[in-house]
Amino acid sequence: MNPFRKAVEDGDHAAVVDLLAEDVVFTSPVVFKPYAGKAITAAILGAVIRVFEDFRYVREIANPDGRDLALVFEARVGDRAIQGCDFLHFDENGRIDDLMVMVRPLSAAQALQAAMAARFELIEREASGAS
């Protein structure tokens, strides 16, 4: 099992963060502009852990060279069932340097956007190191 998948499934946020490259780029399913950097990506992923309920990966699709991975997931956001995929790219050191998330259906994506927007001030404070 991929270490990222294991860390997510174990709820081990620190292990997830350890797998991120300093220059990771996170592409959100609900925001146009990607986020660059480990601090903001870690803070966003921490919030996602609190927003998603009954999260589980249901499929893993890996490139034979080990540099690309797609993890298909299912979860809930409030009363909305959501399906999605985490697309990961690993740098030459085995760290995640690109993480793109896509979700469906639209109603669940909208619920996710609203839940994350409600937490974004806290996310930004966590990313900047403020409490």
Side-chain angles (χ1 to χ4, degrees):
M1 177 183 300
N2 177 275
F4 179 84
R5 178 178 180 173
K6 179 168 179 21
V8 170
E9 289 179 342
D10 289 349
D12 188 346
H13 183 65
V16 169
V17 173
D18 286 344
L19 293 168
L20 300 175
E22 289 298 325
D23 62 349
V24 64
V25 174
F26 175 78
T27 305
S28 164
V30 295
V31 178
F32 175 74
K33 182 181 173 187
Y35 296 96
K38 185 173 183 173
I40 188 68
T41 300
I44 290 168
L45 294 177
V48 168
I49 289 170
R50 295 185 292 274
V51 167
F52 280 154
E53 300 171 53
D54 301 326
F55 183 90
R56 65 203 165 281
Y57 284 118
V58 296
R59 189 170 180 198
E60 184 172 319
I61 306 162
N63 185 311
D65 72 5
R67 301 279 303 268
D68 292 287
L69 178 68
L71 296 167
V72 180
F73 65 83
E74 296 176 349
R76 283 185 311 106
V77 178
D79 64 351
R80 301 286 180 187
I82 193 166
Q83 297 171 314
C85 190
D86 294 335
F87 295 95
L88 294 83
H89 181 268
F90 298 87
D91 66 16
E92 60 280 349
N93 298 313
R95 299 275 184 245
I96 299 165
D97 62 2
D98 189 74
L99 172 55
M100 178 176 59
V101 181
M102 300 183 115
V103 297
R104 67 161 306 279
L106 178 59
S107 61
Q110 291 168 328
L112 176 61
Q113 189 279 330
M116 292 299 290
R119 291 167 173 77
F120 212 77
E121 186 176 313
L122 176 61
I123 290 167
E124 289 179 320
R125 282 199 315 263
E126 287 177 8
S128 71
S131 47

